[in-house]
Amino acid sequence: MQLRHVTGSIADFHARVIPDDLAEAEVWSFRPSGSALVLGSAQDHTTASAAATAAAGVDVVRRRSGGGAVHVDPARSVWLDVVVPRHDEHWSDDVRESTYWLGEAWQRALATLGIASELYRGGLEQTPWGRLVCFAALGPGEVLVDGRKLVGISQRRTRAGARFQCIAYDRWDPYDVLDLLDLTAADRAAAGADLADRAAGVGDRLDELRAAVLDDLVADR
């Protein structure tokens, strides 16, 4: 599996396509040049609060995978994509099972940090805020620690292959994303209370986690 380091704007990164002539799977280790609210494929820019994002100096970008929004801060998150062509051994026609191997790679990386985790093998979880916020619900292949989501994984599939997009945080604060969305004060407070314990982070070990998962993926176990 080839490793590619990518820097630049989040908008440009999400505009990348799965190459039709991809010879083997690639890992794109992304270090964004700024912060952004990244909307899911089913959302549009009206999901975001124009006033809040402008005041925070945060770009609003739409990705082509997943359903809920995520907040991306280069200092507080690890983002990487894995692109798998259809002829690759990691390809699966089963949309749910196609993510398991990737979640297991994150689990092995976490284990090297002494963090025990579990893999979610169910279908897409339906929760009150799951369509709005990515970390409000679980999807296949995602990784939990003590029952709380730690690694989010979404995917986009085309005729060329699949693009898996992964993110993990240093800590989980639902208001990082909720404060940037177009919500009433009552809905924001209700969502914040509901989501406070839904997810978790790895503290100040983001760089260790990035290195560990990249080592595992490039080793191509």
Side-chain angles (χ1 to χ4, degrees), residues 109-168:
L110 287 164
T112 68
L113 275 61
I115 300 174
S117 63
E118 59 185 295
L119 186 72
Y120 179 70
R121 296 181 181 272
L124 184 61
E125 189 181 25
Q126 301 299 316
T127 68
W129 306 103
R131 291 183 178 272
L132 185 65
V133 178
C134 174
F135 272 62
L138 297 172
E142 293 184 326
V143 180
L144 298 84
V145 172
D146 295 328
R148 302 169 71 184
K149 183 170 173 175
L150 181 69
V151 180
I153 301 175
S154 60
Q155 67 172 293
R156 172 174 172 76
R157 298 162 74 91
T158 71
R159 290 181 298 177
R163 179 179 181 179
F164 301 95
Q165 303 196 286
C166 312
I167 188 169

Side-chain angles (χ1 to χ4, degrees), residues 57-122:
V58 171
D59 293 335
V60 179
V61 176
R62 183 171 173 266
R63 68 185 187 277
R64 298 178 182 179
S65 66
V70 296
H71 177 245
V72 179
D73 180 337
R76 294 191 43 229
S77 59
V78 169
W79 187 294
L80 62 87
D81 284 12
V82 180
V83 185
V84 176
R86 286 181 177 263
H87 58 76
D88 190 86
E89 62 180 332
H90 295 300
W91 172 265
S92 173
D93 289 329
D94 187 307
V95 175
R96 179 189 296 187
E97 293 186 0
S98 67
T99 57
Y100 292 170
W101 70 272
L102 182 53
E104 290 166 353
W106 281 96
Q107 285 191 285
R108 290 190 295 269
L110 287 164
T112 68
L113 275 61
I115 300 174
S117 63
E118 59 185 295
L119 186 72
Y120 179 70
R121 296 181 181 272

Side-chain angles (χ1 to χ4, degrees), residues 142-218:
E142 293 184 326
V143 180
L144 298 84
V145 172
D146 295 328
R148 302 169 71 184
K149 183 170 173 175
L150 181 69
V151 180
I153 301 175
S154 60
Q155 67 172 293
R156 172 174 172 76
R157 298 162 74 91
T158 71
R159 290 181 298 177
R163 179 179 181 179
F164 301 95
Q165 303 196 286
C166 312
I167 188 169
Y169 293 105
D170 62 347
R171 62 179 174 82
W172 168 248
D173 182 346
Y175 289 100
D176 286 341
V177 61
L178 293 175
D179 283 346
L180 301 174
L181 301 178
D182 186 18
L183 295 169
T184 66
D187 281 348
R188 184 173 291 107
D194 188 42
L195 302 182
D197 296 322
R198 289 285 303 184
V202 294
D204 60 359
R205 308 187 73 182
L206 284 175
D207 288 340
E208 292 177 73
L209 178 58
R210 183 191 293 271
V213 74
L214 290 178
D215 283 348
D216 189 283
L217 290 169
V218 172

Side-chain angles (χ1 to χ4, degrees), residues 9-12 14-15 35-40 45 59-63:
S9 78
I10 294 178
D12 288 346
H14 287 290
S35 298
L37 176 69
V38 180
L39 304 176
H45 278 56
D59 293 335
V60 179
V61 176
R62 183 171 173 266
R63 68 185 187 277

